[in-house]
Amino acid sequence: MEQHLSTLHEGMEAIESWKKEHLDYQIIAISLDTDKDNYQTAVSKLPKDILFLCDFRGYDSTYIKTFYVMATPTFFEIDQNKKFIKKGKAINQLEIK
């Protein structure tokens, strides 16, 4: 989960690199952007196989409450049954092989 996709290019580079090694996985990036234009510009430059979500409410986002996000970025591993396996502050903290 990324904080503001329009400003966190280094984080997205790490995700893109990770994705190249884990082709079987779907990445969902949830942004806390509040500016729709900046968000759409950022997303248009990123890989199309990543699902991007944003409700443009910043830290008042329903995603913050739904997934108990206390810091950004936050990463989750979810299995094929949509069960949460692990949560981490960095993608390398997950148990994905």
Side-chain angles (χ1 to χ4, degrees):
M1 175 180 287
E2 287 294 326
Q3 179 181 6
H4 296 43
L5 290 176
S6 60
T7 58
L8 291 179
H9 301 289
E10 290 179 21
M12 287 310 300
E13 287 174 8
I15 290 171
E16 290 175 53
S17 174
W18 181 90
K19 177 69 174 160
K20 289 176 185 174
E21 298 175 17
H22 300 86
L23 298 175
D24 302 1
Y25 289 84
Q26 172 67 53
I27 293 178
I28 302 170
I30 300 172
S31 175
L32 301 180
D33 276 290
T34 56
D35 185 300
K36 190 173 186 176
D37 292 332
N38 286 343
Y39 170 81
Q40 290 176 333
T41 299
V43 168
S44 72
K45 297 175 185 174
L46 297 169
K48 305 301 179 221
D49 62 342
I50 296 175
L51 176 61
F52 295 98
L53 304 173
C54 186
D55 62 9
F56 306 103
R57 296 176 61 195
Y59 285 98
D60 291 324
S61 171
T62 55
Y63 300 119
I64 293 285
K65 297 171 186 135
T66 301
F67 298 111
Y68 304 103
V69 174
M70 301 299 181
T72 57
T74 301
F75 296 88
F76 300 92
E77 180 180 357
I78 304 170
D79 71 11
Q80 65 272 15
N81 298 314
K82 300 178 183 162
K83 178 182 174 189
F84 283 84
I85 304 299
K86 190 161 184 179
K87 178 178 176 179
K89 291 189 263 182
I91 202 162
N92 63 2
Q93 290 179 328
L94 304 180
E95 296 177 359
I96 298 169
K97 307 289 183 229

